[in-house]
Amino acid sequence: AERDEILDEKYYVFRVTYNSNNPESLIRLEGSNIDSGSSFHKSMITKGYGTFSGSSRDMSVLHDQWLNRKVKEIQSIPFVGYHPASQIYVFQDFAFYKGAHLPLNSEGYFETSNGGIKTSFKGFKIQEGEFNAEWIENFITAFSWQGLAALAFWLGSLFVHQIRANHKSFPFLELTGDPGAGKSTLIEFLWSLLGRDDYEGFDAMKSTAAGRRRAFTQSSNMPLVLIESDRGDETDSIKKKAFDFDELKPMFNGRAVGTLGVAKRGNDTEEPLFQGALVFAQNAEVDGSNALLQRIIHCHCTTEHHSVETRNIARWFEKQKVEQTSGFLQRALEKEGPILNTIFSEFLKYEAQYTERGGIKTSYLRLIKNHAQVMACAKALKHIFPSISEQTLNGLSDYLYGRALSRQERLADDHPLVAQFWDIYEYLNIQRDPDAHSGEAMIESLNHSGNKPRIAINLNHFHEVCRQHGQDLLDLKRLKKLLPQSRRYKFIDTGKVRSVILGKTMHCWEFQGK
């Protein structure tokens, strides 16, 4: 018998042989397909290559043979990767249990102590391949600290269930890059290590909410890469489908990706959990609340270390296919126990080390935890690549600590777009009064508030004044999402304000002035 884990529906699977020359086949039937001779006959015609002409007594005899004994139950899961209940990594053609490789049997499932397990997912296939550790030095040369940090995160993503069970969370990784910096080559190669060819990521802005929920639940203990659509055209239909990155915050702790109603009578709902590790791969940095930004480790790929040598090395990585590289996945799963032991022990060391450096304030301790987790995963890479030197790992540790400091600075300051908004406001707001007799008389041109020092700004009016004075026209849609986190002038509220500039009531964003 086969049971669907999500739908909680049971099916019977039969191996059927034929007197004709047709090959034997595995056929999945529901209970209603075998409750009578006629229904079984129809099922055989529809799903097989034969017929059934037995009587009701014959069918009764078959029922006794099929059902009046212990029936082996096969669990069917609708995703690929780690199944927490059984602690088995399940893919289409192979599986791993506590470091041991499980072959696919002749009946299409993996045998376990209490039955069997298989995946019904067919969206993409994870392929097996060879393992070669010799490329690691060239990898570091080509992709520098950013690439090594991403490789460590990729390894950690294969054990994210176990890490969250111990640490309660696992960070998000953000990869941005200058044009030609090799970000796409890096990500596609990392995917090849896990058995996926010619793949970079999932464009969330081109999907519906339902499509995103499905994409978020297709795999377990594997990375999910979100790539970004072009932000350039505000009227583009893609923009209308854009989602708020803050919706992803619960995934930091492996919580629900959304709520779905169960297609049955009653008020039951389903809340599928996010079981992977989240990666943002885009040109511009992620916008969002401080709570979201604290969950992100940001690595920016540059061309500073590029040379003719690195270009030639990068071309080698561009050409690699899963057949040559995906042995990385099997090697990592074979060493599940040692890798997890290293991650948990090294995390404590790096968490203490980063804390002792004293550069991260107590209000940002989550940054220490996140970056120490990835550094611990980097130490675990030595189980796969013994040639990685301690000098290299020490360099990566310094790089990651530097990224934590940079993230703290970003959190302490306004977002660059908000900072630009206030720079323009402070430059344009105080203007000479053209109607005053004295050339020294000054008036405010952007602050509509009559309740000083409060600041009230109408964004459309702000946009028009910028146009008149040749200033950059800011992205108002993005700005509206970011202004509530303003630090230079604290956000108060939005609402109707009687403008002292235009003498009429306007909708304004209000801030506490100085």
Side-chain angles (χ1 to χ4, degrees), residues 370-389:
N370 292 345
H371 292 77
Q373 281 179 308
V374 172
M375 189 57 219
C377 294
K379 290 285 285 190
L381 282 171
K382 283 189 69 79
H383 291 290
I384 302 176
F385 304 103
S387 64
I388 296 179
S389 68

Side-chain angles (χ1 to χ4, degrees), residues 61 79 169 240 269 295 358 389 413 463 475 478 488 507 514:
V61 171
F79 57 84
S169 66
K240 299 176 183 178
T269 59
R295 288 163 163 79
S389 68
D413 296 334
H463 203 264
D475 184 339
R478 290 179 63 202
R488 191 181 308 187
H507 183 273
K514 298 176 182 179

Side-chain angles (χ1 to χ4, degrees), residues 222-294:
M222 296 188 80
L224 173 73
V225 180
L226 297 184
I227 57 176
E228 183 190 44
S229 301
D230 185 14
R231 287 179 174 175
D233 187 357
E234 282 294 317
T235 63
D236 196 292
S237 62
I238 292 174
K239 296 296 294 181
K240 299 176 183 178
K241 299 180 182 179
F243 68 100
D244 188 345
F245 281 105
D246 277 293
E247 296 175 13
L248 307 175
K249 285 186 296 185
M251 298 182 187
F252 180 73
N253 306 100
R255 293 178 182 154
V257 301
T259 302
L260 302 173
V262 178
K264 298 178 181 178
R265 292 179 182 270
N267 296 321
D268 293 336
T269 59
E270 292 178 353
E271 294 187 337
L273 301 178
F274 178 63
Q275 304 185 89
L278 194 59
V279 181
F280 305 113
Q282 50 192 40
N283 294 324
E285 288 190 40
V286 169
D287 294 333
S289 66
N290 274 11
L292 173 66
L293 297 181
Q294 284 191 40

Side-chain angles (χ1 to χ4, degrees), residues 486-504:
S486 172
R487 291 181 175 271
R488 191 181 308 187
Y489 299 100
K490 184 179 179 181
F491 172 70
I492 298 174
D493 202 357
T494 60
K496 299 293 185 181
V497 172
R498 181 69 180 177
S499 171
V500 297
I501 299 174
L502 301 178
K504 62 180 181 179

Side-chain angles (χ1 to χ4, degrees), residues 70-94:
K70 181 174 177 60
V71 178
K72 181 181 289 187
E73 187 166 288
I74 312 303
Q75 195 165 21
S76 178
I77 60 175
F79 57 84
V80 291
Y82 186 70
H83 182 246
S86 65
Q87 300 182 331
I88 299 175
Y89 288 83
V90 183
F91 304 99
Q92 287 89 349
D93 296 332
F94 66 99

Side-chain angles (χ1 to χ4, degrees), residues 353-354 357 375 393-403:
Q353 184 184 119
Y354 290 171
R357 289 194 180 190
M375 189 57 219
L393 291 172
N394 290 338
L396 178 63
S397 178
D398 290 339
Y399 169 78
L400 286 172
Y401 182 72
R403 298 315 301 157

Side-chain angles (χ1 to χ4, degrees), residues 118-311:
K118 60 177 288 189
T119 177
S120 59
F121 180 71
K122 298 178 181 178
F124 57 83
K125 185 175 182 179
I126 299 299
Q127 302 178 56
E128 291 184 278
E130 300 174 356
F131 175 71
N132 177 5
E134 295 178 359
W135 51 260
I136 186 63
E137 295 301 328
N138 281 342
F139 179 87
I140 297 170
T141 300
F143 301 110
S144 194
W145 301 123
Q146 298 89 341
L148 188 55
L151 180 62
F153 185 91
W154 233 251
L155 178 66
S157 72
L158 298 178
F159 307 100
V160 71
H161 259 292
Q162 298 93 313
I163 294 173
R164 286 197 183 112
N166 191 293
H167 294 167
K168 306 303 181 185
S169 66
F170 192 72
F172 304 152
L173 176 67
E174 180 180 8
L175 285 172
T176 57
D178 298 335
K183 175 170 62 70
S184 296
T185 300
L186 169 63
I187 294 172
E188 289 187 16
F189 178 74
L190 291 174
W191 270 121
S192 76
L193 299 180
L194 304 188
R196 293 194 71 175
D197 240 342
D198 299 320
Y199 181 73
E200 184 173 0
F202 167 68
D203 192 342
M205 293 187 182
K206 290 183 178 178
S207 71
T208 63
R212 288 195 291 271
R213 280 196 298 269
R214 291 193 177 189
F216 292 154
T217 56
Q218 289 178 340
S219 61
S220 172
N221 272 18
M222 296 188 80
L224 173 73
V225 180
L226 297 184
I227 57 176
E228 183 190 44
S229 301
D230 185 14
R231 287 179 174 175
D233 187 357
E234 282 294 317
T235 63
D236 196 292
S237 62
I238 292 174
K239 296 296 294 181
K240 299 176 183 178
K241 299 180 182 179
F243 68 100
D244 188 345
F245 281 105
D246 277 293
E247 296 175 13
L248 307 175
K249 285 186 296 185
M251 298 182 187
F252 180 73
N253 306 100
R255 293 178 182 154
V257 301
T259 302
L260 302 173
V262 178
K264 298 178 181 178
R265 292 179 182 270
N267 296 321
D268 293 336
T269 59
E270 292 178 353
E271 294 187 337
L273 301 178
F274 178 63
Q275 304 185 89
L278 194 59
V279 181
F280 305 113
Q282 50 192 40
N283 294 324
E285 288 190 40
V286 169
D287 294 333
S289 66
N290 274 11
L292 173 66
L293 297 181
Q294 284 191 40
R295 288 163 163 79
I296 296 173
I297 291 177
H298 175 230
C299 298
H300 183 72
C301 301
T302 70
T303 59
E304 293 177 0
H305 65 286
H306 285 199
S307 65
V308 174
E309 179 190 8
T310 58
R311 189 184 308 121

